[in-house]
Amino acid sequence: MTGVQTCALPISGPTVFAAASMKTALDEIDALFTAKTGKTVTVSYAASSALAKQIEQGAPADVFVSADIPWMDYVAQKGLIKPETRFDLLGNDLVLVAPAPTTEKVDIGPGAPLAAKVGDGKIATGDVNSVPVGKYAKAAFEKLGIWAEVSPKIAGAENVRAALGLVARGEAKYGIVYATDAKSEPKVAVVGVFPESSHPPIVYPVAVTRDSASPDAKAYVEFLKGPEATKIFTGQGFTVLKH
């Protein structure tokens, strides 16, 4: 009689609400976490603004990873995270992309004639009033003195990956996304980089939520700081911050 081999099924682990720009790197990290611990990670990707509002409304998240500090501050001020678990995980760069292939290069500086280059086209990015990438883009255009010219040409999307998709499909002439998003999508090419001084630093804070009952939430956020996750993040183009 031959024995039947059985494999242990993964056990449900933490539920993570993460900024859409993290999807490529975090999917790989989560698969590694599951392989090492046997615990599956459930992830909801969206704009940090949408995720923060969902947490406020009682959505069952264990960990929140925002693409900017203000939305983490928002949930913190409402007492929705465990403050002692909060730390800044990653940094990123803001870039201008166009549909690939292209050899175009755009010099992004004060008074740059970007509006003229766009012509009748559109610049896709996140909603400039709520989505972090859109807020960074608006701040940069204001600092560069060209917001009045380019604002009518902005196509605000629900998150950065939606904006990236508009450019990849050729539905927008340009897009403003993070460098990591551009790297993840072969149908776009970086044609310009925004000066770091033109917008607030791009920082991804992480925290365990106040109502998390997951015994794996703390281990998961520690895993995000570890060498294996760091290698994946840096390979995707993120800057890993000192914790």
Side-chain angles (χ1 to χ4, degrees), residues 96-116:
L96 186 73
V97 294
T102 178
T103 57
E104 181 182 13
K105 293 297 175 190
V106 179
D107 184 20
I108 302 174
L114 189 57

Side-chain angles (χ1 to χ4, degrees), residues 121-145:
K122 289 291 183 183
I123 303 172
T125 191
D127 182 286
V128 297
N129 296 312
S130 59
V131 178
V133 73
K135 290 161 61 183
Y136 290 127
K138 181 181 179 182
F141 285 139
E142 288 177 336
K143 185 72 177 287
L144 297 172

Side-chain angles (χ1 to χ4, degrees), residues 3-242:
V4 179
Q5 286 190 332
T6 58
C7 296
L9 294 175
I11 300 168
S12 183
T15 296
V16 179
F17 279 20
S21 53
M22 297 192 71
K23 180 171 174 36
T24 304
L26 209 55
D27 280 353
E28 187 176 347
I29 289 167
D30 290 350
L32 189 58
F33 180 83
T34 299
K36 286 187 165 291
T37 66
K39 306 290 182 69
T40 60
V41 182
T42 302
V43 191
S44 179
Y45 293 111
S48 302
S49 49
L51 297 172
K53 292 289 187 178
Q54 288 170 26
I55 292 170
E56 182 182 16
Q57 290 160 13
D62 296 305
V63 177
F64 178 39
V65 191
S66 174
D68 72 357
I69 289 173
W71 281 114
M72 183 62 80
D73 287 345
Y74 179 86
V75 294
Q77 287 159 8
K78 293 182 178 293
L80 297 171
I81 62 168
K82 296 176 180 174
E84 70 278 8
T85 67
R86 178 176 174 173
F87 64 95
D88 293 337
L89 177 65
L90 304 168
N92 215 330
D93 293 311
L94 195 68
V95 299
L96 186 73
V97 294
T102 178
T103 57
E104 181 182 13
K105 293 297 175 190
V106 179
D107 184 20
I108 302 174
L114 189 57
K117 285 181 173 291
V118 178
D120 295 331
K122 289 291 183 183
I123 303 172
T125 191
D127 182 286
V128 297
N129 296 312
S130 59
V131 178
V133 73
K135 290 161 61 183
Y136 290 127
K138 181 181 179 182
F141 285 139
E142 288 177 336
K143 185 72 177 287
L144 297 172
I146 57 176
W147 173 243
E149 304 161 31
V150 300
S151 59
K153 301 179 185 298
I154 297 289
E158 65 181 11
N159 61 60
V160 69
R161 288 297 173 101
L164 185 70
L166 290 173
V167 183
R169 295 191 298 273
E171 295 172 23
K173 183 164 183 179
Y174 295 117
I176 301 170
V177 299
Y178 303 119
T180 52
D181 296 297
K183 186 166 184 172
S184 75
E185 175 52 78
K187 293 181 181 178
V188 307
V190 174
V191 295
V193 179
F194 285 83
E196 285 186 10
S197 59
S198 69
H199 56 80
I202 298 170
V203 176
Y204 290 69
V206 179
V208 175
T209 62
R210 179 195 65 195
D211 295 334
S212 171
S214 171
D216 305 302
K218 186 177 179 182
Y220 178 80
V221 297
E222 289 299 319
F223 190 76
L224 294 181
K225 299 179 186 179
E228 293 157 315
T230 294
K231 184 177 180 181
I232 293 169
F233 282 133
T234 53
Q236 184 60 28
F238 288 99
T239 301
V240 175
L241 304 178
K242 292 181 180 179

